[in-house]
Amino acid sequence: MAKATTRRKAEELVEKVMKGNDSSHDASHVWRVRDLALSIAREEGLSSNSDSMEIVELAALLHDIGDYKYIRDPSEAKLVENFLDEEGVEETKKVKILKIINGMGFKDELSGQALCESLPEFGVVQDADRLDAIGAIGIARCFTFGGSRNRVLHDPEIKPRTELTKEQYMKKEEQTTINHFHEKLLKLKKLMKTEAGKRRAEKRHEFMEEFLKEFYQEWDGRA
């Protein structure tokens, strides 16, 4: 686990930087990911290594600072590195934390750039973040994000994009909220790296499938 003072300062940084975000990517999301990551780390046998637990906690806390979807100023991209330097986090840990944060996005998986799968802490933090994108919480976050971007709920004429490249995924072209389930969220179960993450993803994935089945029936007036 991270030192108490470093943890508190990291939490303060999260609250300050993410204050203006919509509630799909707010501080509460970060706290959930941190709790999930620490729980998964314990299940994966990392709790005996205090360095690993510190890396997991700080990477989870800082993973969404400088997110390309919300970045307001180019200097925000350096916030995490500057914070770790100011807190005196040793170089080997700092490098691992930054590798985890920079490699864990879905956009990076799409372009084959998830380079740090050799780090056990990487899979733990990435799985925690992805678990918060699926299931009941994931559905709520998906529609919150779509609403913040004024996306339509569903349009049968707009088909989900298949075989997305990194560039297409990051482009803010017209897309529906429901299509995001098919383009990303329903794919996450198969991309889990840890056994603990895979187990948790099963139930959340089934919940989304049930939701979509009901959604389409209600949309068509069949339910």
Side-chain angles (χ1 to χ4, degrees):
M1 303 278 279
K3 293 177 194 143
T5 52
T6 302
R7 181 191 305 122
R8 191 177 68 252
K9 286 182 183 174
E11 289 168 349
E12 287 168 359
L13 181 64
V14 167
E15 287 175 335
K16 178 184 167 192
V17 172
M18 301 182 77
K19 195 176 180 183
N21 291 3
D22 65 82
S23 57
S24 70
H25 291 80
D26 61 359
S28 292
H29 160 65
V30 174
W31 311 149
R32 290 192 304 271
V33 170
R34 185 255 306 270
D35 292 345
L36 273 168
L38 290 173
S39 178
I40 291 170
R42 285 189 285 269
E43 287 180 45
E44 292 292 306
L46 298 186
S47 57
S48 59
N49 185 328
S50 60
D51 285 353
S52 279
M53 295 302 277
E54 182 179 3
I55 289 164
V56 165
E57 182 165 27
L58 288 176
L61 281 171
L62 302 170
H63 80 277
D64 260 347
I65 291 173
D67 186 329
Y68 77 96
K69 297 187 291 296
Y70 294 90
I71 209 154
R72 291 170 275 267
D73 183 312
S75 68
E76 286 183 24
K78 281 280 186 189
L79 275 175
V80 173
E81 191 170 352
N82 293 343
F83 172 81
L84 295 172
D85 285 338
E86 286 163 16
E87 287 302 304
V89 174
E90 61 186 74
E91 189 66 20
T92 52
K93 289 182 193 170
K94 185 183 97 170
V95 169
K96 287 180 179 179
I97 290 165
L98 292 172
K99 265 191 171 184
I100 290 167
I101 291 170
N102 293 331
M104 64 188 273
F106 186 67
K107 66 186 190 319
D108 299 301
E109 187 99 37
L110 285 167
S111 62
Q113 286 177 7
L115 300 174
C116 45
E117 289 184 36
S118 56
L119 277 173
E121 299 89 351
F122 169 70
V124 167
V125 180
Q126 187 184 58
D127 280 6
D129 188 39
R130 288 177 168 178
L131 283 168
D132 204 56
I134 61 178
I137 292 277
I139 292 168
R141 290 181 65 215
C142 186
F143 284 100
T144 299
F145 183 77
S148 77
R149 296 298 197 269
N150 288 320
R151 287 183 180 162
V152 296
L153 289 179
H154 176 49
D155 182 342
E157 298 301 311
I158 301 175
K159 304 300 179 192
R161 298 166 297 180
T162 55
E163 303 302 318
L164 276 178
T165 64
K166 177 177 178 176
E167 289 68 33
Q168 284 175 315
Y169 178 74
M170 292 177 72
K171 265 173 71 177
K172 295 177 175 66
E173 62 188 48
E174 191 59 39
Q175 199 43 261
T176 72
T177 295
I178 282 292
N179 280 355
H180 191 61
F181 285 88
H182 300 285
E183 293 177 354
K184 176 184 177 182
L185 306 187
L186 291 170
K187 295 177 180 178
L188 293 180
K189 183 181 81 161
K190 288 185 178 176
L191 297 177
M192 292 288 156
K193 304 290 191 297
T194 66
E195 291 307 309
K198 289 172 186 173
R199 284 194 299 271
R200 290 168 188 245
E202 285 292 337
K203 182 184 176 189
R204 295 186 186 219
H205 184 86
E206 284 174 19
F207 191 88
M208 288 194 301
E209 288 186 320
E210 286 300 313
F211 168 80
L212 287 171
K213 194 159 66 175
E214 178 69 17
F215 181 94
Y216 290 128
Q217 287 180 352
E218 291 183 14
W219 185 271
D220 294 338
R222 290 181 283 125

